[in-house]
Amino acid sequence: MLTAEDKKLIQQAWEKAASHQEEYGTEALIRMFTTYPQTKTYFPHFDLSPGSDQIRGHGKKVLGALGNAVKNLDNLSQAMSELSNLHAYNLRVDPVNFKLLSQCIQVVLAAHLGKDYTPEVHAAFDKFLSAVSAVLSEKYR
Amino acid sequence: MVHWSAEEKQLITSIWGKVNVEECGAEALARLLIVYPWTQRFFDNFGNLSSPTAIIGNPKVRAHGKKVLSSFGEAVKNLDNIKNTYAKLSELHCEKLHVDPENFRLLGNILIIVLAAHFTKDFTPTCQAVWQKLVGVVAHALAYKYH
């Protein structure tokens, strides 16, 4: 469960990421495809070469959705309801992959925030990404 | 046996060469205990683990973190023989310490984040990929002798 302190830390950390959504989103996806090649199986229709417009567009979309989640920490389920439906009924991405992308998002934040990605921020963000992953998989069955 | 390309070996040793094992080890273990508090179950005799500040400043955490990461260095020195290198440690973690191997995966992922925070943009996607492979291999080797 996200405590009040967690929410504060998440919002503060996000302020630093908010103006870099496309850049960070793209980097997270590239890291995920490089580190966990099996994740590419969900994107047979994408050009996955370096500099791909599709990856940039998708990275921006993913981080945008996370930004929306940050604004709605008190009712994640409701705020992400459409995305939850999409993942359950259309995309059907195996939930194990949410952990893989979460790891890569955290690596991006750590790489850009450096020591500002303190243990406390790290813990809060890890909880946040777990909560988002849980919401995205809650209608799977 | 795990295969490492020349490029992968290079990425591993060049990063490892710049790691302060004591600092990095302490940081990684502290973060494990902070981010996944249930991992504190293995460290009842470590004293004060009541807050992130307490954990980060705890001398037993620092010392143990250094020990753990020093041992990781053995993997880096023996990339072509990691399973054997960790055979005894694997038995120890199973028979004496009773550590669920899931914890090796958790610590591995935390180590990656510590490296990213330290090396920032030098910790490229390719670097991350190689290091995730390495922590995965180490975790597997540590679990290998479990019975």
Side-chain angles (χ1 to χ4, degrees):
Chain A
M1 297 302 314
L2 294 174
T3 63
E5 180 62 20
D6 289 330
K7 291 177 187 176
K8 204 175 82 183
L9 288 169
I10 292 162
Q11 283 156 351
Q12 281 169 0
W14 195 257
E15 262 162 45
K16 302 186 184 112
S19 52
H20 299 273
Q21 278 180 154
E22 185 178 307
E23 184 196 340
Y24 289 7
T26 304
E27 190 182 327
L29 288 177
I30 290 172
R31 285 182 182 275
M32 187 182 73
F33 293 141
T34 309
T35 308
Y36 310 110
Q38 67 273 24
T39 56
K40 294 190 286 187
T41 58
Y42 290 98
F43 299 91
H45 54 301
F46 263 35
D47 163 19
L48 296 179
S49 59
S52 149
D53 281 337
Q54 284 179 306
I55 299 187
R56 298 200 72 79
H58 198 66
K60 185 176 175 186
K61 197 189 258 185
V62 169
L63 272 251
L66 272 183
N68 183 48
V70 171
K71 288 204 199 86
N72 291 280
L73 293 173
D74 291 328
N75 61 337
L76 274 181
S77 218
Q78 206 182 324
M80 303 193 76
S81 180
E82 259 182 56
L83 273 176
S84 186
N85 288 333
L86 185 75
H87 283 77
Y89 306 124
N90 296 68
L91 304 177
R92 291 171 292 183
V93 172
D94 193 296
V96 75
N97 295 285
F98 302 146
K99 282 196 180 158
L100 305 182
L101 181 57
S102 295
Q103 170 73 356
C104 292
I105 289 168
Q106 291 213 65
V107 169
V108 170
L109 291 173
H112 288 272
L113 269 52
K115 52 177 153 21
D116 285 349
Y117 201 65
T118 63
E120 291 89 336
V121 172
H122 178 170
F125 231 86
D126 194 284
K127 283 171 80 171
F128 167 60
L129 291 173
S130 289
V132 168
S133 302
V135 167
L136 285 178
S137 24
E138 76 188 359
K139 295 174 188 162
Y140 270 50
R141 56 177 171 172
Chain B
M1 204 189 80
V2 180
H3 173 75
W4 302 97
S5 71
E7 191 200 353
E8 287 176 325
K9 288 187 178 183
Q10 222 285 319
L11 283 170
I12 291 169
T13 52
S14 76
I15 289 270
W16 188 251
K18 299 177 199 132
V19 167
N20 177 325
V21 171
E22 182 168 349
E23 283 306 317
C24 200
E27 170 107 27
L29 185 62
R31 282 181 187 250
L32 180 74
L33 299 174
I34 293 166
V35 178
Y36 308 115
W38 55 94
T39 57
Q40 293 170 23
R41 70 191 296 285
F42 301 107
F43 302 104
D44 278 341
N45 63 334
F46 267 30
N48 187 4
L49 298 178
S50 60
S51 70
T53 313
I55 291 170
I56 292 164
N58 185 311
K60 285 189 171 175
V61 171
R62 291 192 68 83
H64 196 66
K66 178 183 177 184
K67 185 190 223 181
V68 168
L69 203 62
S70 301
S71 162
F72 199 85
E74 291 303 302
V76 175
K77 285 210 284 271
N78 294 283
L79 289 174
D80 293 327
N81 196 22
I82 292 179
K83 234 181 219 156
N84 283 331
T85 303
Y86 282 116
K88 283 261 163 328
L89 268 177
S90 181
E91 284 170 11
L92 178 79
H93 281 75
C94 172
E95 291 160 16
K96 293 267 151 45
L97 306 178
H98 311 294
V99 176
D100 177 351
E102 178 60 20
N103 292 286
F104 308 144
R105 290 176 254 290
L106 291 180
L107 183 58
N109 278 342
I110 295 245
L111 177 60
I112 300 286
I113 288 172
V114 169
L115 292 176
H118 187 78
F119 290 100
T120 63
K121 60 180 156 12
D122 288 343
F123 197 64
T124 62
T126 318
C127 235
Q128 179 188 351
V130 175
W131 274 82
Q132 297 269 187
K133 178 178 169 182
L134 177 59
V135 303
V137 168
V138 169
H140 180 82
L142 276 173
Y144 193 67
K145 292 291 197 179
Y146 272 54
H147 57 90

Short mmCIF file of all heavy atoms in Angstrom, two decimals, chain A residues 75-135:
data_model
loop_
_atom_site.label_atom_id
_atom_site.label_comp_id
_atom_site.label_asym_id
_atom_site.label_seq_id
_atom_site.Cartn_x
_atom_site.Cartn_y
_atom_site.Cartn_z
N ASN A 75 -6.51 6.77 -6.60
CA ASN A 75 -7.46 5.85 -7.22
C ASN A 75 -6.90 5.31 -8.55
O ASN A 75 -7.41 5.59 -9.62
CB ASN A 75 -8.84 6.50 -7.41
CG ASN A 75 -8.77 7.71 -8.31
OD1 ASN A 75 -7.72 8.32 -8.47
ND2 ASN A 75 -9.88 8.03 -8.95
N LEU A 76 -5.83 4.56 -8.42
CA LEU A 76 -5.13 4.02 -9.58
C LEU A 76 -6.04 3.15 -10.44
O LEU A 76 -6.03 3.24 -11.66
CB LEU A 76 -3.93 3.19 -9.13
CG LEU A 76 -2.62 3.92 -8.88
CD1 LEU A 76 -1.56 2.93 -8.46
CD2 LEU A 76 -2.17 4.70 -10.09
N SER A 77 -6.83 2.31 -9.76
CA SER A 77 -7.68 1.36 -10.46
C SER A 77 -8.62 2.06 -11.42
O SER A 77 -8.79 1.68 -12.57
CB SER A 77 -8.48 0.57 -9.42
OG SER A 77 -8.60 -0.75 -9.82
N GLN A 78 -9.23 3.12 -10.89
CA GLN A 78 -10.19 3.87 -11.69
C GLN A 78 -9.49 4.64 -12.82
O GLN A 78 -9.90 4.59 -13.97
CB GLN A 78 -10.90 4.87 -10.77
CG GLN A 78 -12.28 5.27 -11.22
CD GLN A 78 -12.88 6.29 -10.28
OE1 GLN A 78 -12.66 6.23 -9.06
NE2 GLN A 78 -13.60 7.24 -10.80
N ALA A 79 -8.41 5.32 -12.46
CA ALA A 79 -7.70 6.17 -13.42
C ALA A 79 -7.13 5.34 -14.58
O ALA A 79 -7.02 5.82 -15.70
CB ALA A 79 -6.58 6.92 -12.73
N MET A 80 -6.77 4.07 -14.29
CA MET A 80 -6.14 3.25 -15.31
C MET A 80 -7.10 2.22 -15.89
O MET A 80 -6.67 1.27 -16.56
CB MET A 80 -4.92 2.55 -14.74
CG MET A 80 -3.91 3.53 -14.17
SD MET A 80 -2.34 2.75 -13.83
CE MET A 80 -1.69 2.61 -15.47
N SER A 81 -8.37 2.39 -15.63
CA SER A 81 -9.36 1.38 -16.02
C SER A 81 -9.31 1.02 -17.51
O SER A 81 -9.33 -0.14 -17.89
CB SER A 81 -10.76 1.89 -15.65
OG SER A 81 -11.70 0.93 -16.01
N GLU A 82 -9.21 2.04 -18.35
CA GLU A 82 -9.18 1.76 -19.79
C GLU A 82 -7.94 0.97 -20.18
O GLU A 82 -8.02 0.02 -20.96
CB GLU A 82 -9.16 3.07 -20.57
CG GLU A 82 -10.50 3.47 -21.13
CD GLU A 82 -10.41 4.76 -21.93
OE1 GLU A 82 -9.60 4.81 -22.87
OE2 GLU A 82 -11.14 5.71 -21.58
N LEU A 83 -6.80 1.37 -19.63
CA LEU A 83 -5.55 0.67 -19.94
C LEU A 83 -5.59 -0.75 -19.40
O LEU A 83 -5.03 -1.68 -19.98
CB LEU A 83 -4.36 1.40 -19.33
CG LEU A 83 -3.76 2.50 -20.21
CD1 LEU A 83 -2.65 3.23 -19.47
CD2 LEU A 83 -3.22 1.92 -21.51
N SER A 84 -6.27 -0.90 -18.27
CA SER A 84 -6.42 -2.21 -17.66
C SER A 84 -7.22 -3.11 -18.60
O SER A 84 -6.85 -4.26 -18.87
CB SER A 84 -7.14 -2.01 -16.33
OG SER A 84 -7.20 -3.18 -15.63
N ASN A 85 -8.30 -2.57 -19.16
CA ASN A 85 -9.11 -3.32 -20.13
C ASN A 85 -8.29 -3.68 -21.36
O ASN A 85 -8.30 -4.81 -21.84
CB ASN A 85 -10.32 -2.50 -20.60
CG ASN A 85 -11.37 -2.36 -19.52
OD1 ASN A 85 -11.49 -3.21 -18.64
ND2 ASN A 85 -12.15 -1.30 -19.58
N LEU A 86 -7.56 -2.67 -21.85
CA LEU A 86 -6.75 -2.87 -23.06
C LEU A 86 -5.77 -4.02 -22.88
O LEU A 86 -5.64 -4.88 -23.74
CB LEU A 86 -5.99 -1.58 -23.37
CG LEU A 86 -5.20 -1.58 -24.67
CD1 LEU A 86 -6.14 -1.43 -25.86
CD2 LEU A 86 -4.19 -0.44 -24.67
N HIS A 87 -5.06 -4.03 -21.74
CA HIS A 87 -4.06 -5.07 -21.51
C HIS A 87 -4.69 -6.43 -21.31
O HIS A 87 -4.13 -7.44 -21.73
CB HIS A 87 -3.16 -4.70 -20.33
CG HIS A 87 -2.14 -3.67 -20.67
ND1 HIS A 87 -2.45 -2.33 -20.80
CD2 HIS A 87 -0.83 -3.78 -20.97
CE1 HIS A 87 -1.36 -1.66 -21.15
NE2 HIS A 87 -0.36 -2.51 -21.26
N ALA A 88 -5.88 -6.45 -20.70
CA ALA A 88 -6.54 -7.73 -20.42
C ALA A 88 -7.15 -8.35 -21.68
O ALA A 88 -7.03 -9.55 -21.90
CB ALA A 88 -7.63 -7.54 -19.38
N TYR A 89 -7.81 -7.53 -22.47
CA TYR A 89 -8.61 -8.09 -23.56
C TYR A 89 -7.99 -7.99 -24.94
O TYR A 89 -8.25 -8.81 -25.79
CB TYR A 89 -10.00 -7.45 -23.57
CG TYR A 89 -10.69 -7.55 -22.23
CD1 TYR A 89 -11.14 -6.42 -21.56
CD2 TYR A 89 -10.86 -8.80 -21.61
CE1 TYR A 89 -11.76 -6.52 -20.32
CE2 TYR A 89 -11.47 -8.90 -20.37
CZ TYR A 89 -11.92 -7.76 -19.72
OH TYR A 89 -12.51 -7.86 -18.49
N ASN A 90 -7.14 -6.94 -25.15
CA ASN A 90 -6.51 -6.80 -26.46
C ASN A 90 -5.06 -7.24 -26.47
O ASN A 90 -4.66 -8.12 -27.19
CB ASN A 90 -6.55 -5.35 -26.94
CG ASN A 90 -7.93 -4.85 -27.15
OD1 ASN A 90 -8.68 -4.69 -26.19
ND2 ASN A 90 -8.31 -4.62 -28.40
N LEU A 91 -4.26 -6.56 -25.63
CA LEU A 91 -2.82 -6.77 -25.69
C LEU A 91 -2.40 -8.11 -25.09
O LEU A 91 -1.53 -8.79 -25.62
CB LEU A 91 -2.08 -5.63 -24.97
CG LEU A 91 -2.42 -4.23 -25.50
CD1 LEU A 91 -1.71 -3.17 -24.68
CD2 LEU A 91 -2.05 -4.10 -26.98
N ARG A 92 -3.03 -8.44 -23.97
CA ARG A 92 -2.74 -9.71 -23.28
C ARG A 92 -1.24 -9.96 -23.13
O ARG A 92 -0.75 -11.06 -23.35
CB ARG A 92 -3.45 -10.88 -23.98
CG ARG A 92 -4.96 -10.77 -23.79
CD ARG A 92 -5.73 -11.74 -24.62
NE ARG A 92 -5.62 -11.42 -26.03
CZ ARG A 92 -6.25 -12.09 -27.00
NH1 ARG A 92 -7.05 -13.10 -26.68
NH2 ARG A 92 -6.09 -11.74 -28.26
N VAL A 93 -0.54 -8.93 -22.71
CA VAL A 93 0.88 -9.04 -22.39
C VAL A 93 1.01 -9.85 -21.12
O VAL A 93 0.35 -9.53 -20.12
CB VAL A 93 1.48 -7.62 -22.15
CG1 VAL A 93 2.90 -7.72 -21.64
CG2 VAL A 93 1.42 -6.80 -23.43
N ASP A 94 1.85 -10.88 -21.13
CA ASP A 94 2.00 -11.65 -19.88
C ASP A 94 2.53 -10.73 -18.77
O ASP A 94 3.50 -10.02 -18.98
CB ASP A 94 2.95 -12.83 -20.09
CG ASP A 94 2.88 -13.80 -18.93
OD1 ASP A 94 3.25 -13.40 -17.80
OD2 ASP A 94 2.43 -14.93 -19.12
N PRO A 95 1.87 -10.77 -17.61
CA PRO A 95 2.24 -9.84 -16.54
C PRO A 95 3.70 -9.92 -16.08
O PRO A 95 4.19 -8.96 -15.48
CB PRO A 95 1.30 -10.23 -15.40
CG PRO A 95 0.10 -10.79 -16.10
CD PRO A 95 0.65 -11.51 -17.29
N VAL A 96 4.37 -11.00 -16.36
CA VAL A 96 5.79 -11.07 -15.96
C VAL A 96 6.58 -9.93 -16.61
O VAL A 96 7.58 -9.45 -16.07
CB VAL A 96 6.38 -12.46 -16.29
CG1 VAL A 96 6.63 -12.62 -17.78
CG2 VAL A 96 7.64 -12.72 -15.51
N ASN A 97 6.10 -9.50 -17.78
CA ASN A 97 6.81 -8.43 -18.51
C ASN A 97 6.68 -7.07 -17.84
O ASN A 97 7.53 -6.19 -18.07
CB ASN A 97 6.30 -8.37 -19.94
CG ASN A 97 6.64 -9.62 -20.70
OD1 ASN A 97 7.79 -9.84 -21.09
ND2 ASN A 97 5.66 -10.50 -20.91
N PHE A 98 5.65 -6.88 -17.02
CA PHE A 98 5.52 -5.60 -16.32
C PHE A 98 6.69 -5.42 -15.36
O PHE A 98 7.19 -4.31 -15.17
CB PHE A 98 4.19 -5.51 -15.56
CG PHE A 98 2.96 -5.68 -16.42
CD1 PHE A 98 1.82 -6.31 -15.94
CD2 PHE A 98 2.94 -5.20 -17.73
CE1 PHE A 98 0.69 -6.47 -16.73
CE2 PHE A 98 1.81 -5.36 -18.54
CZ PHE A 98 0.68 -6.00 -18.03
N LYS A 99 7.15 -6.54 -14.78
CA LYS A 99 8.32 -6.46 -13.87
C LYS A 99 9.56 -6.07 -14.65
O LYS A 99 10.41 -5.32 -14.16
CB LYS A 99 8.58 -7.82 -13.22
CG LYS A 99 7.66 -8.14 -12.10
CD LYS A 99 8.19 -9.29 -11.22
CE LYS A 99 7.18 -9.53 -10.09
NZ LYS A 99 7.24 -10.83 -9.51
N LEU A 100 9.69 -6.60 -15.87
CA LEU A 100 10.87 -6.33 -16.68
C LEU A 100 10.91 -4.85 -17.07
O LEU A 100 11.95 -4.19 -16.96
CB LEU A 100 10.89 -7.22 -17.92
CG LEU A 100 10.79 -8.72 -17.67
CD1 LEU A 100 10.88 -9.51 -18.98
CD2 LEU A 100 11.89 -9.20 -16.72
N LEU A 101 9.76 -4.32 -17.52
CA LEU A 101 9.73 -2.91 -17.90
C LEU A 101 9.92 -2.03 -16.66
O LEU A 101 10.61 -1.02 -16.72
CB LEU A 101 8.41 -2.55 -18.60
CG LEU A 101 8.30 -1.08 -19.05
CD1 LEU A 101 9.45 -0.67 -19.97
CD2 LEU A 101 6.97 -0.82 -19.75
N SER A 102 9.35 -2.43 -15.53
CA SER A 102 9.51 -1.66 -14.29
C SER A 102 10.99 -1.54 -13.93
O SER A 102 11.45 -0.48 -13.53
CB SER A 102 8.76 -2.32 -13.14
OG SER A 102 7.36 -2.30 -13.38
N GLN A 103 11.72 -2.64 -14.05
CA GLN A 103 13.16 -2.62 -13.75
C GLN A 103 13.84 -1.61 -14.67
O GLN A 103 14.64 -0.79 -14.20
CB GLN A 103 13.75 -4.02 -13.94
CG GLN A 103 15.27 -4.12 -13.90
CD GLN A 103 15.89 -3.95 -12.52
OE1 GLN A 103 15.19 -3.68 -11.53
NE2 GLN A 103 17.20 -4.07 -12.43
N CYS A 104 13.51 -1.64 -15.95
CA CYS A 104 14.16 -0.74 -16.90
C CYS A 104 13.79 0.72 -16.64
O CYS A 104 14.64 1.61 -16.78
CB CYS A 104 13.82 -1.14 -18.33
SG CYS A 104 14.57 -2.72 -18.76
N ILE A 105 12.55 0.97 -16.24
CA ILE A 105 12.15 2.35 -15.92
C ILE A 105 12.96 2.84 -14.72
O ILE A 105 13.46 3.97 -14.70
CB ILE A 105 10.63 2.43 -15.63
CG1 ILE A 105 9.85 2.25 -16.93
CG2 ILE A 105 10.26 3.76 -14.97
CD1 ILE A 105 8.35 2.03 -16.75
N GLN A 106 13.13 1.98 -13.74
CA GLN A 106 13.92 2.36 -12.57
C GLN A 106 15.38 2.61 -12.93
O GLN A 106 16.01 3.53 -12.40
CB GLN A 106 13.83 1.27 -11.51
CG GLN A 106 12.46 1.18 -10.89
CD GLN A 106 12.52 0.78 -9.44
OE1 GLN A 106 13.04 1.50 -8.60
NE2 GLN A 106 12.02 -0.41 -9.14
N VAL A 107 15.92 1.81 -13.84
CA VAL A 107 17.30 2.02 -14.27
C VAL A 107 17.43 3.38 -14.96
O VAL A 107 18.38 4.12 -14.72
CB VAL A 107 17.79 0.88 -15.20
CG1 VAL A 107 19.12 1.23 -15.85
CG2 VAL A 107 17.94 -0.40 -14.39
N VAL A 108 16.45 3.73 -15.78
CA VAL A 108 16.47 5.03 -16.46
C VAL A 108 16.46 6.16 -15.43
O VAL A 108 17.25 7.10 -15.50
CB VAL A 108 15.27 5.19 -17.43
CG1 VAL A 108 15.17 6.62 -17.94
CG2 VAL A 108 15.41 4.23 -18.59
N LEU A 109 15.57 6.05 -14.46
CA LEU A 109 15.48 7.10 -13.44
C LEU A 109 16.79 7.19 -12.65
O LEU A 109 17.30 8.27 -12.41
CB LEU A 109 14.31 6.82 -12.49
CG LEU A 109 12.92 6.99 -13.10
CD1 LEU A 109 11.83 6.54 -12.12
CD2 LEU A 109 12.67 8.44 -13.50
N ALA A 110 17.34 6.03 -12.28
CA ALA A 110 18.60 6.02 -11.53
C ALA A 110 19.72 6.64 -12.36
O ALA A 110 20.51 7.43 -11.85
CB ALA A 110 18.96 4.59 -11.12
N ALA A 111 19.76 6.29 -13.64
CA ALA A 111 20.84 6.79 -14.50
C ALA A 111 20.74 8.31 -14.69
O ALA A 111 21.76 8.97 -14.85
CB ALA A 111 20.81 6.09 -15.85
N HIS A 112 19.54 8.86 -14.66
CA HIS A 112 19.38 10.29 -14.87
C HIS A 112 19.35 11.09 -13.58
O HIS A 112 19.79 12.24 -13.55
CB HIS A 112 18.13 10.59 -15.70
CG HIS A 112 18.28 10.20 -17.13
ND1 HIS A 112 18.81 11.03 -18.09
CD2 HIS A 112 18.01 9.04 -17.77
CE1 HIS A 112 18.85 10.40 -19.27
NE2 HIS A 112 18.37 9.19 -19.10
N LEU A 113 18.86 10.47 -12.52
CA LEU A 113 18.79 11.20 -11.25
C LEU A 113 20.01 10.98 -10.38
O LEU A 113 20.25 11.72 -9.43
CB LEU A 113 17.52 10.79 -10.48
CG LEU A 113 16.24 11.61 -10.71
CD1 LEU A 113 15.90 11.75 -12.18
CD2 LEU A 113 15.08 11.01 -9.96
N GLY A 114 20.79 9.93 -10.69
CA GLY A 114 22.01 9.65 -9.93
C GLY A 114 21.72 9.51 -8.45
O GLY A 114 20.82 8.78 -8.06
N LYS A 115 22.46 10.26 -7.63
CA LYS A 115 22.23 10.08 -6.20
C LYS A 115 20.90 10.65 -5.71
O LYS A 115 20.48 10.36 -4.59
CB LYS A 115 23.40 10.59 -5.36
CG LYS A 115 23.84 11.99 -5.63
CD LYS A 115 24.95 12.35 -4.65
CE LYS A 115 25.91 13.41 -5.15
NZ LYS A 115 25.43 14.28 -6.24
N ASP A 116 20.21 11.43 -6.54
CA ASP A 116 18.85 11.86 -6.17
C ASP A 116 17.88 10.69 -6.18
O ASP A 116 16.77 10.80 -5.67
CB ASP A 116 18.34 12.96 -7.11
CG ASP A 116 19.00 14.30 -6.82
OD1 ASP A 116 19.67 14.42 -5.77
OD2 ASP A 116 18.84 15.23 -7.64
N TYR A 117 18.26 9.59 -6.81
CA TYR A 117 17.43 8.39 -6.75
C TYR A 117 17.82 7.67 -5.46
O TYR A 117 18.45 6.61 -5.47
CB TYR A 117 17.64 7.51 -7.98
CG TYR A 117 16.48 6.55 -8.22
CD1 TYR A 117 15.22 7.06 -8.55
CD2 TYR A 117 16.61 5.18 -8.12
CE1 TYR A 117 14.13 6.22 -8.76
CE2 TYR A 117 15.54 4.33 -8.33
CZ TYR A 117 14.31 4.85 -8.64
OH TYR A 117 13.24 4.02 -8.86
N THR A 118 17.43 8.29 -4.36
CA THR A 118 17.83 7.80 -3.04
C THR A 118 17.16 6.46 -2.73
O THR A 118 16.19 6.09 -3.39
CB THR A 118 17.38 8.78 -1.95
OG1 THR A 118 15.95 8.85 -1.97
CG2 THR A 118 17.97 10.18 -2.17
N PRO A 119 17.63 5.74 -1.72
CA PRO A 119 16.96 4.50 -1.32
C PRO A 119 15.47 4.71 -1.03
O PRO A 119 14.65 3.86 -1.38
CB PRO A 119 17.72 4.08 -0.06
CG PRO A 119 19.09 4.63 -0.26
CD PRO A 119 18.89 5.93 -0.96
N GLU A 120 15.13 5.85 -0.43
CA GLU A 120 13.71 6.10 -0.10
C GLU A 120 12.88 6.29 -1.36
O GLU A 120 11.76 5.77 -1.47
CB GLU A 120 13.58 7.36 0.78
CG GLU A 120 14.15 7.19 2.20
CD GLU A 120 15.63 7.52 2.31
OE1 GLU A 120 16.35 7.46 1.29
OE2 GLU A 120 16.06 7.85 3.43
N VAL A 121 13.42 7.05 -2.31
CA VAL A 121 12.71 7.26 -3.58
C VAL A 121 12.61 5.94 -4.34
O VAL A 121 11.56 5.59 -4.88
CB VAL A 121 13.44 8.31 -4.46
CG1 VAL A 121 12.82 8.39 -5.85
CG2 VAL A 121 13.41 9.67 -3.79
N HIS A 122 13.67 5.19 -4.35
CA HIS A 122 13.74 3.88 -4.99
C HIS A 122 12.65 2.97 -4.43
O HIS A 122 11.89 2.35 -5.19
CB HIS A 122 15.15 3.34 -4.74
CG HIS A 122 15.44 1.96 -5.27
ND1 HIS A 122 16.72 1.46 -5.29
CD2 HIS A 122 14.67 0.98 -5.78
CE1 HIS A 122 16.71 0.24 -5.78
NE2 HIS A 122 15.48 -0.09 -6.09
N ALA A 123 12.53 2.93 -3.11
CA ALA A 123 11.53 2.06 -2.48
C ALA A 123 10.12 2.50 -2.88
O ALA A 123 9.28 1.67 -3.25
CB ALA A 123 11.68 2.09 -0.96
N ALA A 124 9.87 3.81 -2.81
CA ALA A 124 8.53 4.32 -3.13
C ALA A 124 8.19 4.03 -4.59
O ALA A 124 7.07 3.62 -4.92
CB ALA A 124 8.46 5.82 -2.86
N PHE A 125 9.16 4.24 -5.46
CA PHE A 125 8.91 4.02 -6.88
C PHE A 125 8.70 2.56 -7.21
O PHE A 125 7.88 2.20 -8.06
CB PHE A 125 10.05 4.61 -7.73
CG PHE A 125 9.50 5.49 -8.80
CD1 PHE A 125 9.23 6.83 -8.52
CD2 PHE A 125 9.20 5.00 -10.05
CE1 PHE A 125 8.68 7.65 -9.47
CE2 PHE A 125 8.63 5.83 -11.02
CZ PHE A 125 8.37 7.16 -10.73
N ASP A 126 9.44 1.71 -6.53
CA ASP A 126 9.28 0.27 -6.75
C ASP A 126 7.86 -0.14 -6.37
O ASP A 126 7.19 -0.89 -7.09
CB ASP A 126 10.31 -0.49 -5.91
CG ASP A 126 10.45 -1.95 -6.34
OD1 ASP A 126 9.56 -2.76 -6.01
OD2 ASP A 126 11.44 -2.27 -7.03
N LYS A 127 7.39 0.40 -5.25
CA LYS A 127 6.01 0.10 -4.81
C LYS A 127 5.00 0.63 -5.83
O LYS A 127 4.03 -0.04 -6.16
CB LYS A 127 5.73 0.75 -3.45
CG LYS A 127 6.34 0.01 -2.28
CD LYS A 127 6.22 0.80 -0.99
CE LYS A 127 4.84 0.69 -0.38
NZ LYS A 127 4.82 1.29 0.99
N PHE A 128 5.25 1.85 -6.31
CA PHE A 128 4.35 2.47 -7.27
C PHE A 128 4.26 1.63 -8.54
O PHE A 128 3.16 1.32 -9.02
CB PHE A 128 4.86 3.88 -7.59
CG PHE A 128 4.21 4.53 -8.79
CD1 PHE A 128 2.84 4.75 -8.84
CD2 PHE A 128 4.99 4.93 -9.87
CE1 PHE A 128 2.25 5.35 -9.95
CE2 PHE A 128 4.41 5.53 -10.99
CZ PHE A 128 3.03 5.75 -11.03
N LEU A 129 5.40 1.23 -9.09
CA LEU A 129 5.39 0.45 -10.33
C LEU A 129 4.74 -0.92 -10.11
O LEU A 129 4.06 -1.44 -11.01
CB LEU A 129 6.82 0.30 -10.88
CG LEU A 129 7.43 1.61 -11.40
CD1 LEU A 129 8.90 1.42 -11.76
CD2 LEU A 129 6.67 2.13 -12.62
N SER A 130 4.92 -1.49 -8.91
CA SER A 130 4.22 -2.75 -8.60
C SER A 130 2.71 -2.54 -8.58
O SER A 130 1.95 -3.38 -9.07
CB SER A 130 4.61 -3.27 -7.21
OG SER A 130 5.91 -3.72 -7.22
N ALA A 131 2.29 -1.42 -8.00
CA ALA A 131 0.86 -1.12 -7.92
C ALA A 131 0.28 -0.93 -9.32
O ALA A 131 -0.80 -1.44 -9.63
CB ALA A 131 0.62 0.13 -7.07
N VAL A 132 1.00 -0.21 -10.17
CA VAL A 132 0.55 -0.01 -11.55
C VAL A 132 0.46 -1.35 -12.27
O VAL A 132 -0.53 -1.64 -12.95
CB VAL A 132 1.51 0.94 -12.30
CG1 VAL A 132 1.24 0.93 -13.80
CG2 VAL A 132 1.39 2.36 -11.75
N SER A 133 1.47 -2.19 -12.09
CA SER A 133 1.46 -3.52 -12.73
C SER A 133 0.26 -4.33 -12.27
O SER A 133 -0.38 -5.02 -13.07
CB SER A 133 2.75 -4.28 -12.41
OG SER A 133 3.86 -3.55 -12.83
N ALA A 134 -0.04 -4.25 -10.98
CA ALA A 134 -1.17 -5.00 -10.44
C ALA A 134 -2.48 -4.52 -11.07
O ALA A 134 -3.32 -5.33 -11.45
CB ALA A 134 -1.23 -4.85 -8.92
N VAL A 135 -2.63 -3.20 -11.21
CA VAL A 135 -3.84 -2.66 -11.83
C VAL A 135 -3.95 -3.11 -13.29
O VAL A 135 -5.01 -3.52 -13.75
CB VAL A 135 -3.88 -1.12 -11.74
CG1 VAL A 135 -4.96 -0.54 -12.63
CG2 VAL A 135 -4.10 -0.69 -10.29
#
